Amino acid sequence: TESLDMKNILNDTELTGLQKLTQEQLINIILRKDDVEQKLSAEVRKLKKTNRQLTALIEEMDCLMKY
């Protein structure tokens, strides 16, 4: 009777947007989130590498301009 009680409760109360999502939709959202996070991490790694290269170039230019 527990599942019947749950159905009655859900029918009697207004569902939030999140509760209306199916399990499949939730899984897709989580997978998309993971994918976005991985892509962002990769971009951050590229930016850090580029930043290091630029810093090295600037230091090199500073040295050249002193002489």
Side-chain angles (χ1 to χ4, degrees):
T1 59
E2 249 180 61
S3 60
L4 280 175
D5 289 343
M6 278 305 291
K7 280 181 189 169
N8 291 338
I9 290 165
L10 291 177
N11 288 337
D12 292 345
T13 59
E14 201 167 310
L15 295 176
T16 66
L18 195 60
Q19 285 170 319
K20 286 178 187 173
L21 290 174
T22 65
Q23 195 170 358
E24 192 179 342
Q25 286 171 315
L26 284 171
I27 289 166
N28 285 334
I29 289 167
I30 291 163
L31 290 175
R32 273 202 307 274
K33 180 183 150 291
D34 289 346
D35 187 48
V36 168
E37 284 175 351
Q38 284 176 356
K39 285 177 182 172
L40 275 173
S41 292
E43 286 301 312
V44 168
R45 281 193 298 276
K46 281 188 220 165
L47 284 170
K48 284 181 177 174
K49 183 182 177 188
T50 303
N51 197 33
R52 282 194 300 273
Q53 290 170 332
L54 284 171
T55 303
L57 271 176
I58 291 165
E59 286 170 2
E60 211 174 309
M61 285 172 67
D62 283 347
C63 288
L64 288 172
M65 288 172 82
K66 284 177 186 170
Y67 300 109

